[in-house]
Amino acid sequence: MPTIVGFSKPIGFAVVPGGAPGVPLGPCGGIDAADTIIVATQITDPLTANVDLTAAATIPKADAVQIAVIDTTGDFVLVAWQEAK
């Protein structure tokens, strides 16, 4: 069985409070505008729904994630990204 050594670049994760569509959300664990979003998921509390937001997610500036068109107010956004380093 092969051993998994790790990813070629560091992977970061953050859970941030949701907000209105198009508004930068954060702080987001040190994400940088040059990084690449792997996945963004809207999660509810209590955990009753998971909505994939990856296609609508962007990094508008350092330490922030923005979700276009989808209102995540009152929920949380789980974000994973690959660092550009």
Side-chain angles (χ1 to χ4, degrees), residues 22-42:
V23 174
L25 308 174
C28 201
I31 195 170
D32 188 63
D35 295 341
T36 303
I37 293 176
I38 298 169
V39 66
T41 302
Q42 180 179 2

Side-chain angles (χ1 to χ4, degrees), residues 5-61:
V5 177
F7 291 100
S8 61
K9 296 181 181 180
I11 303 294
F13 299 90
V15 177
V16 296
V23 174
L25 308 174
C28 201
I31 195 170
D32 188 63
D35 295 341
T36 303
I37 293 176
I38 298 169
V39 66
T41 302
Q42 180 179 2
I43 52 178
T44 60
D45 182 23
L47 188 56
T48 56
N50 294 332
V51 179
D52 184 4
L53 305 174
T54 308
T58 58
I59 307 167
K61 60 182 181 178

